[in-house]
Amino acid sequence: MIKRNNVVKIIITIILALFFWTFTCINVELFRVYTDKEVFMLGYFITSLVCSLAICFLGVTKFRLNKAAAAVAGSLVYIAAIFGAMQISVSFAGGFQAKPHIYFVNLLFWLAFGAIGLLVSGSLRVSAITALSASYAFNASSFIVYCLRGTALMPTDIYAWGTAMNVASQYEFEMQYPMITSTVLTVALIMLAFKFPVKLKFRGRALIMRGIGSVALAASVAVITAGDYSQIDVSIYDQSLANYNFGSALSFYINSTKMGLEKSSTYNPEQLDEKLLSYTQPEAAAAPTPMPEKAAERSNDDEDGDEMPSATQSAAEAEPTAAPEAGETMKTTLNAKGEKPNIVVVMNESFCDPAAVGAFETNEDYMPFFRQLENNTIKGELLVSPFGGYTCNTEYEFLTGMSTGVLKSRSAPYIQNIFRKLPYSLPMHMRELGYKAIALHPFSADSWNRVNIYKDLSFDEFISMENLATLSEYPEYLRGYVSDKGNYGAIINYFLGKDPDERAFIFNITMQNHGGYTNKSYNSSIFLENMSGDYPQAEQYLSLLRESDTALKYFLNELKKFDEPIMVVMFGDHMPNLETGFYEELYGKPLSGISYEEALNRYKIPFIIWTNYNIEEETGLLSSPCFLSNKMMEVAQLPKSRVQLYLDELQQNVIQINPAVYTDPSGVHHMHSELPEQLGEYYDMQYALLKGERLHYDFDYSKETYPMFGNMVLSPKFFFGKEYEKIRSANP
């Protein structure tokens, strides 16, 4: 007679098996992948069905084995569980492409988790279940992050947990075939471990098993940590590719060892300071050289707001200000009224042109104004470090002139390295030049720890969602975020209310286009045409780009109405994570099969520099966020800091950089190892800055040495108080 509790177990098992079988069959289309051709993932599909049958079979069958057979079966099941934990990892990663010894090292990680279970419980059954559960929990979490952001789980994500929670409500996870197969496989293996436990009965069994667990754990850790992984590059483009090539466990471990900021063998602060001191301080212009008249005063703008013909002197007739050579003295030229321009830097969330990856067709242009913008405009392309997230890294690079490209793998200085006021930053330099430095981000102030970081970067003021009402009480919203138009409205209100004699440097991060792109209350207006797959996320994103384009037109037209000279620098932080199939169709191949050069296309972001007065137009410029402020200073005809003059020298060999490559002035990409000395010095300079080394990063723009700023110069004490005086006393 079958016991009642056994009947309940059998019923539950059958229901579970039927659920997995049915769920797999209903979602058969999820196993169909579209790239340049349709591919059905038959192996994953069959594995899901077989494991569903195995769950049912194990649940309803009672096995009677003698002691010897039971011991053998239990041992084999335990070994299968460890290899099964590895297979779960491979299943989530979409495969495994590495040498056998790399597979073995990954296997040791799951053996180590099994050893922890054995050490704690003294039970091989618990040990097997621990290894399987750890593998599933880690790899499922990584896969979900990949689905939402486009790159798998990284060690720095642990620090960014709060930021992720701030935006989590806007994301919607969509089931994919690796999650189905891996889940069914995990349940089947756990049931197998329950069904065939290793039963050992001898005196002191628990103590001996715990001893074996501790030895296995120590041995696994020793082998893992003793390995030389210097030739394994897991920082190329994204963690997902690294998981596929080297295994998720080993890739995560290698990245975790590279999170710290380590002093290099070449680090010498005295030499770095000598380098900075070699640059000549900009001279004060004896008499301001007049710039062309303000364009808005003499333009007959068309309805698109991008035509500003000159009635007197064209931008081409004006003598352009060339970028100075490193160390060269630069004379500052102000406009005809002796005014410096206000500067608004807009880092537009997820702003890019996906056509950089590959051509596609839509029912209408999604950024017509941006493409047509020409007059008084400089256009170019940035090579950025992140994809799909980590806005903070692009932000950090622009505001410091440093690059995460030369930091160790997957660094995020905002949450890892900045714990004190930095001795140099772009906002600090702009304040030295008489600007009020304002940060504006219409979202939570604690995202990426900005509430503290902006103090450490020496901003005068931070306007976030918590105090946005001081500029815009009822801003426009789109998908739960302040829209670009609402964001720009706050900036316009600031200019309407500020003292005309005050000069503002505004660093603005928008929110409208933030992922995810599954908001069902938003009606898309841009639709893809002539594509094999359906990509509603891509269409929602392109529709949001159209909204951004319209908002930019509104913003620039409003700024033309001001008498004050205003410059706008706008760029995106990273490409968005959209459907994998969308990007694969643009490439015409799976992401796992793209080349280095093709992968770089997902890190190309457009930028513009626009003014409401006449400047020399340029197109086709190549740069990175760390170098962009140099171009901004040149166009604004403002003096550069010593750090920026150092970057001018670096740009003689490096005009773009990210963690994968650098670009030389001819536009050719190179590996970092091809320029070890100069990039090593750049790393050392960044190390010095992040560690608070008191070097001569900037000049002393006092009233005596720089009289042209007149009463715009405020005392250092007003800006920084005692902290600034301490810095200044250490850097005369």
Side-chain angles (χ1 to χ4, degrees), residues 46-81:
I46 291 177
T47 300
S48 299
L49 295 180
V50 170
C51 287
S52 298
L53 291 175
I55 291 171
C56 183
F57 178 74
L58 291 170
V60 301
T61 306
K62 188 172 183 179
F63 298 90
R64 297 183 181 277
L65 303 174
N66 58 40
K67 290 183 179 180
V72 171
S75 300
L76 291 175
V77 166
Y78 182 79
I79 295 172

Side-chain angles (χ1 to χ4, degrees), residues 440-451:
L440 170 60
H441 180 47
F443 198 61
S444 175
D446 61 0
S447 292
W448 292 118
N449 194 31
R450 289 187 179 100
V451 67

